[in-house]
Amino acid sequence: MADIPKMEIPDAVRQLAEKNIDQARAAYGQVLDMVRKSQETVGRSSEAMTGAALDLQAKVMRFTQDNLEANFRLATELARARDPKDFFEIQSRHAQLQMHNYALQAQELGRLMSEAAQKAQPKP
């Protein structure tokens, strides 16, 4: 069998990808700041939101931020990949780690929702 030539991703393409990621991260930061300010305003002004609901909301925001940051790290690593093999290894590692993180996040949200439901039940 003939050797398959090694394909490399050009530096210019990697640099452009990194620049685009930086711009997306900056835009994400601005949106996240607006969401936090909005969340704080709602939390201060709404008597209807219980402490459990606020805790759940804060946890969901934290998980969302963590997951988006993980995706930015992935995009940065992928932009620096030297060849397709490296690209797919990075992607595979990310997928495995995120599936583990999603499972942990689902457990935590389930626990918080269960606690909120227990607190919402009328006291005898």
Side-chain angles (χ1 to χ4, degrees):
M1 257 188 178
D3 288 331
I4 298 174
K6 184 176 178 181
M7 293 176 35
E8 288 195 19
I9 299 169
D11 284 337
V13 172
R14 288 196 309 271
Q15 290 171 0
L16 179 61
E18 286 186 42
K19 181 181 176 187
N20 288 339
I21 292 164
D22 290 341
Q23 290 173 344
R25 186 184 301 268
Y28 155 72
Q30 291 174 346
V31 169
L32 189 60
D33 286 342
M34 288 186 333
V35 169
R36 279 192 187 124
K37 288 175 184 172
S38 175
Q39 183 182 21
E40 290 170 4
T41 301
V42 168
R44 283 192 306 265
S45 65
S46 177
E47 295 291 328
M49 291 191 83
T50 66
L54 290 172
D55 289 345
L56 185 61
Q57 182 185 42
K59 188 61 76 167
V60 167
M61 276 294 293
R62 182 72 219 159
F63 288 161
T64 300
Q65 183 179 358
D66 290 346
N67 293 333
L68 285 169
E69 287 295 329
N71 287 327
F72 279 120
R73 284 191 303 275
L74 169 66
T76 299
E77 285 185 57
L78 290 175
R80 295 177 181 155
R82 299 275 177 210
D83 55 47
K85 180 180 180 251
D86 192 27
F87 184 91
F88 290 117
E89 287 173 355
I90 292 166
Q91 196 171 33
S92 177
R93 276 194 315 270
H94 172 78
Q96 289 174 352
L97 179 61
Q98 282 307 107
M99 290 308 293
H100 175 74
N101 289 340
Y102 293 151
L104 293 176
Q105 291 169 1
Q107 285 178 329
E108 178 69 9
L109 291 176
R111 184 186 65 75
L112 288 172
M113 290 174 70
S114 177
E115 288 176 6
Q118 287 175 352
K119 289 178 183 177
Q121 291 181 357
K123 307 280 186 227

